[in-house]
Amino acid sequence: MPNHYRSLSESVNAAITVLKSAKSVCILTGAGISAESGIPTFRDKQTGLWENYSAEQLANIAAFKRDPNLVWQWYQMRRDMIRDKEPNPAHHALATWQDSAAALNQSITLVSQNVDNLHEQAGSTVQKLHGSIWHNHCIDCETPYLEDTTGKDELLNCPVCDGLIRPSVVWFGESLPDTPWLAADHAARHCDVFMSIGTSSLVYPAAGLATLAKQTSGTTVIEINPNPTESDMVDIQICEKAGMVLPSIINELLAV
Ligand code: NAD
Ligand code: ZN
């Protein structure tokens, strides 16, 4: 049932209505929810030294194998960029909602593709599908590398097997960690509302969660994105920045 509502306030009101009666909500967030904290998404054009590379070209295992130096330096640059960023009103609103879930008699599962720590910093419990940019491990023996890598622009080697140290993020072409993926899959199959916030819905398997929700339980799908995706799964499209609309939506839910 493609969209839908004639104005932003109509779609926001429709979302509030379905969310008020929902028992189980699955929320999937992507890079867009952190955009208002100043962290560029993967669709934003890169600048400076990196303007000739797309993020997709760098965030993949083949690129690391071909030119580990380049990929490591790109991640060090992204870490420098993310380090001082803080959660924005969208992250805070979701954390407040999760805090009140028991009182509202709702089950809320927050699933994120983001590798920053902003949901956790805001106080949320989150199923992280794509790992964390703040962790590293050995590409060969997978031993975690626990030393601080701030300012280390040269490649590092594993103290156990001498393999190269890589960021513990899930790259394009790699499989997702089991525990968060199973939690996300379960939440999508059992929710009555699925919210997709700040994701281009192009990166699978995360992008398939809305379809799974729709096909297994006839879930209502709400999307919050200033540039709506083409997904025909979406019932209620909220064409606005997450930080602009989520706080007032969550306030309404908590006001009952
Ligand atoms: P994406 O970069 O493909 O898409 C971002 C989406 O967010 C776009 O559709 C854009 O229109 C939307 N958007 C931009 N500003 C917004 C706002 N203020 N409110 C709501 N939506 C907004 O991101 P993706 O779908 O998450 O997939 C790309 C991959 O990139 C993911 O695997 C993720 O791990 C990784 N990534 C993570 C971060 C991070 O951790 N902050 C940043 C960049 C990329
Ligand atoms: Zn090793």
Side-chain angles (χ1 to χ4, degrees), residues 135-140 142-145 164-169:
H135 296 146
N136 296 285
H137 65 272
C138 169
I139 195 160
D140 292 329
E142 299 187 359
T143 303
Y145 185 84
L164 289 176
I165 298 302
R166 57 163 285 179
S168 300
V169 299

Side-chain angles (χ1 to χ4, degrees), residues 76-234:
Q76 291 298 76
M77 176 280 288
R78 285 197 65 91
R79 286 167 169 162
D80 287 343
M81 185 173 59
I82 295 175
R83 192 165 282 113
D84 64 345
K85 301 297 185 284
E86 292 185 348
N88 65 54
H91 298 101
H92 288 300
L94 292 180
T96 307
W97 189 16
Q98 273 189 317
D99 253 3
S100 315
L104 294 168
N105 203 15
Q106 290 185 313
S107 137
I108 300 169
T109 306
L110 175 59
V111 179
S112 187
Q113 301 169 88
N114 292 348
V115 297
D116 62 39
N117 260 355
L118 298 187
H119 281 305
E120 292 95 322
Q121 268 176 250
S124 274
T125 305
V126 54
Q127 302 295 338
K128 286 171 85 83
L129 296 182
H130 292 167
S132 165
I133 198 166
W134 301 115
H135 296 146
N136 296 285
H137 65 272
C138 169
I139 195 160
D140 292 329
C141 74
E142 299 187 359
T143 303
Y145 185 84
L146 301 175
E147 280 173 47
D148 182 9
T149 62
T150 310
K152 304 252 166 79
D153 284 341
E154 306 292 310
L155 283 169
L156 299 168
N157 292 91
C158 171
V160 178
C161 78
D162 209 36
L164 289 176
I165 298 302
R166 57 163 285 179
S168 300
V169 299
V170 177
W171 280 328
F172 292 107
E174 294 186 306
S175 52
L176 305 190
D178 283 345
T179 307
W181 174 251
L182 291 174
D185 179 275
H186 184 270
R189 285 175 197 275
H190 294 91
C191 64
D192 25 44
V193 180
F194 186 94
M195 295 182 84
S196 176
I197 307 173
T199 168
S200 56
S201 297
L202 294 173
V203 182
Y204 280 82
L209 287 170
T211 312
L212 183 66
K214 196 99 201 147
Q215 287 171 349
T216 36
S217 45
T219 301
T220 302
V221 177
I222 301 172
E223 176 176 277
I224 303 181
N225 194 320
N227 311 299
T229 64
E230 309 266 293
S231 167
D232 52 10
M233 290 298 131
V234 178

